[in-house]
Structure formats: C-alpha cells, structure tokens
Amino acid sequence: MGPSTLFDRVVSALFGRDGSQADDAVERQLVADMTELVVETVDPRIRLQSRYADKLEGCVRKTIAHLRSIGGQPLDPLLLSRAAWSGDPRLNAYFASADEVPAFLGRSKELREFFRVPSNREAGEAFALLAMKREERTVLGVQQHGDRVQHDVPLATVSFSGHRLFAPSATADATRLEVGRRIIRRLAQLALKRIVDLDMKAAELGERKAWLAARLRLVKLAVDGAAGLLEDTTETRSQIAAIERELKETVHDYIETKAGVATLDAFIKHIDAVFSHPEQQVSLQRTPVRLSRMGVRVDGDHPGPLNEFVMTELAIGEGVDVVIAIVRCPLAEMPPEEDLLSKAERFI
C-alpha cells in the first residue's frame, strides 16, 4: 500500500463522516495503519527495530482517540460572499468590509486553478479551508453606561489578519479531510523535529569538542615549549585546567545527546513523547465570541449590533493558534483576473 493510500485511509477513518468508534477488528487495522503512517512519515528505518509496532501501540491509540474527538467536532461551512457580509456575524468579524471578501477570493491562485477545471467551473462553487491569525489588543476608547459616556476606557479589541485559503475541494467533506491531514502531519513534524534538533545539538557539541581539544593542545604546547622558558606559566596552567573541565563536560553532553538520537530505540522514544500526549501538541477549540461591529469584545449589555458566533481555533503547539473555518467559495464572487491585474498596475 502506498503512503498516500495509507494516509487517505487513516484520515477518512478519523475525520470522515463515519469516524466514530469502530469494532475491534477495524480498530486494530486503524492502529496498524496509523503506526505505519507515523513510521513512514518520521523515519522508515524504524521498521528495522524489532517489535516497533508493539512499542508504539500505546501512544498511537492515545493519538487516535484524541484525533477522533477533534474529527467529531462540527465545522459548518461559511459562505464567502459580499452580500452575506452584513448579515453573517463570522464573516463580518473576519473581514473588515464587504468588498474585502471577493478581493480575498480573487487573490487565491489555488482557487483560480481549481475553477480552471471544467467540471469544477460547472459546479459553480468550491469548498476550502480558511486560516487566519487572531490578534487581541487593549486600546483606550469610549464606553456608554445608560445616559453617561465614559472616556479613556480600556477596551479589548479582536481582529483577524493573514487570511489564507487552502485546498479548494468540490465538497465540504473533502475539506474536513484536509484539516485531518494537516493535523497528522503536524504531529509527525513535531516528532521528527525532536530528532533533528538533537542531531543538530550533537553536531554542535561535536564541533565544540574538537575545538576545545585543539585549544587544549595549543595551550599545552605553549607551556611545554620554548616560550615556557621565558614566561610565568601559572596563569596558562589555570587555563589548561579550565579547558580540561569544559572539554570533559562537553564530551559528556555529546555522548548523552548522541545516544538520544543515534539509535532506533531513541527514535521510537521521541515519537512516543509526542504521540502519547497529542492534546499538548494539537487541539481544536470552539469558543463563543461576542464582538461589537468595531471588533470590541463585549461581556455584558451593548446598545449596538453584535457579532455573536463560535470561533474555531486550531492550536498547533509552541503557543501558535490559528482560527480556521471551512468556507464556500462561489465562482460568481470572484472578480475577473484582468480586474486584479489592472488594479495592480495602478501601484506599479
């Protein structure tokens, strides 16, 4: 079975419509497929280690359970259109104006490539994954309490930037699977990063060890050579002692680091460290949000219109969060390509 077929099977089982708990035989096959997918993605040499599948089974089962909980969360498609901007609270919050919506669609090269396929163009719309950064700031503003207006009040504002569109597809289900693929790749990336980082550390320690050894030889030659007949070597001998201590510590760190990356057992331990705690690496959170039309966070009563919606945020570790949504992209909303070119020429 090829890697792409294996990937498709795992992702469909966890993020497809039938991603619920399966019977024992099907579940065992999923664990086996997931194990092979992880090994193939991180380092296929792990298969040379005896009983590697048994050693990884526990962490793989934990990851499957976590990903299944993510895959079961609702991701209702959001229609990206100029007309929907004023009435849809998510769209109104994510884009500063109605005109930004078609302009954003028009900038997507992937979306234009998708609609160049005749069958996709006939369908008239695409589904895709929208990703954005959420930015929160505190500003001084005006707040009204009944008939009283208060100035210089600290207000929490929420804005969205860096909009990007990924993986246009013919169906929302296909886009859900793309979310799953990216989550699994992220976990594999984190496991491989641990291995690569240790390998780089070992290389740096190896270079440091070689430099210190050369430095030690140089200083010893200064003491034992002709220069030692004319100079007081007390300070130089102190240098030798300090270099020898540092060299000893560096050799110890090098051996320890090299042992942590050079064996297949070490590879398995790094995978286990990530896949045993998938919730610490990747999570999908749905958070109720109440914002004014100016992007100010609202906790209590507010006199004006509000954007109240549930925000879906994908946390991918290391303090990195991205707001995501599955979106519908109508072909009719995309400006003609020549319009974009003419607008660009104005700034040249």
Side-chain angles (χ1 to χ4, degrees):
M1 182 188 303
S4 60
T5 304
L6 190 62
F7 218 130
D8 290 342
R9 279 179 53 172
V10 170
V11 171
S12 296
L14 297 175
F15 293 88
R17 288 190 177 274
D18 57 348
S20 57
Q21 183 74 34
D23 61 49
D24 290 345
V26 175
E27 190 71 8
R28 284 195 299 272
Q29 184 61 54
L30 176 58
V31 171
D33 287 347
M34 183 71 165
T35 301
E36 293 306 314
L37 176 59
V38 171
V39 168
E40 182 67 30
T41 307
V42 175
D43 196 315
R45 291 176 297 173
I46 293 171
R47 294 194 180 98
L48 299 174
Q49 174 64 273
S50 64
R51 299 180 59 249
Y52 71 90
D54 293 338
K55 294 176 181 179
L56 290 173
E57 181 178 352
C59 69
V60 166
R61 286 188 178 275
K62 288 180 181 178
T63 292
I64 286 174
H66 179 62
L67 296 185
R68 186 173 273 131
S69 69
I70 292 178
Q73 296 194 38
L75 289 174
D76 301 323
L78 170 65
L79 175 63
L80 294 188
S81 74
R82 182 191 282 104
W85 180 82
S86 60
D88 190 302
R90 283 190 294 169
L91 198 60
N92 190 271
Y94 294 158
F95 292 90
S97 69
D99 288 339
E100 280 196 13
V101 178
F104 168 68
L105 293 175
R107 289 194 297 269
S108 174
K109 293 181 180 179
E110 285 191 52
L111 192 57
R112 290 198 177 277
E113 287 298 322
F114 177 86
F115 281 127
R116 285 195 176 99
V117 177
S119 59
N120 294 336
R121 193 170 187 86
E122 288 177 10
E125 70 174 3
F127 291 84
L129 176 64
L130 171 66
M132 302 159 284
K133 296 178 183 177
R134 172 179 55 84
E135 299 176 348
E136 295 203 19
R137 294 189 306 156
T138 299
V139 300
L140 296 179
V142 176
Q143 197 170 57
Q144 186 169 351
H145 298 278
D147 296 332
R148 183 169 57 90
V149 176
Q150 187 176 356
H151 296 271
D152 295 332
V153 179
L155 302 174
T157 64
V158 179
S159 60
F160 300 89
S161 63
H163 300 61
R164 297 186 66 188
L165 206 60
F166 296 94
S169 307
T171 65
D173 288 344
T175 303
R176 286 185 66 91
L177 296 182
E178 178 63 21
V179 176
R181 288 187 187 92
R182 289 177 179 271
I183 288 175
I184 293 174
R185 288 192 185 107
R186 174 61 176 174
L187 290 172
Q189 176 200 0
L190 291 172
L192 183 57
K193 184 176 184 299
R194 291 171 67 98
I195 296 169
V196 171
D197 285 351
L198 275 178
D199 201 21
M200 291 180 62
K201 181 181 178 182
E204 291 170 358
L205 287 170
E207 291 178 3
R208 180 69 178 172
K209 177 170 67 71
W211 182 86
L212 286 170
R215 175 68 177 162
L216 182 61
R217 291 195 302 272
L218 179 65
V219 176
K220 282 184 174 181
L221 285 172
V223 172
D224 299 333
L229 300 175
L230 302 173
E231 300 173 357
D232 184 0
T233 60
T234 303
E235 183 177 343
T236 307
R237 291 182 185 279
S238 296
Q239 275 188 332
I240 290 175
I243 294 172
E244 287 176 335
R245 285 194 301 272
E246 186 178 355
L247 179 58
K248 183 179 179 180
E249 292 172 359
T250 303
V251 169
H252 177 269
D253 290 344
Y254 173 76
I255 293 173
E256 191 175 71
T257 303
K258 198 69 177 174
V261 71
T263 67
L264 297 178
D265 262 336
F267 283 22
I268 290 174
K269 288 179 181 178
H270 292 307
I271 293 174
D272 183 78
V274 172
F275 282 78
S276 286
H277 306 283
E279 73 286 348
Q280 296 177 8
Q281 318 298 337
V282 177
S283 63
L284 196 67
Q285 299 178 343
R286 288 170 55 81
T287 308
V289 177
R290 299 178 77 235
L291 302 175
S292 74
R293 287 300 178 103
M294 299 301 293
V296 177
R297 190 180 289 279
V298 177
D299 295 324
D301 295 334
H302 184 74
L306 288 176
N307 286 327
E308 297 187 65
F309 60 96
V310 176
M311 178 180 67
T312 302
E313 204 160 20
L314 179 64
I316 55 176
E318 301 175 350
V320 180
D321 297 339
V322 58
V323 177
I324 65 169
I326 291 179
V327 293
R328 287 173 54 201
C329 310
L331 174 61
E333 287 293 319
M334 294 186 66
E337 199 160 5
E338 54 269 21
D339 288 0
L340 295 176
L341 293 173
S342 62
K343 287 181 180 178
E345 287 174 354
R346 297 175 192 174
F347 299 96
I348 296 177

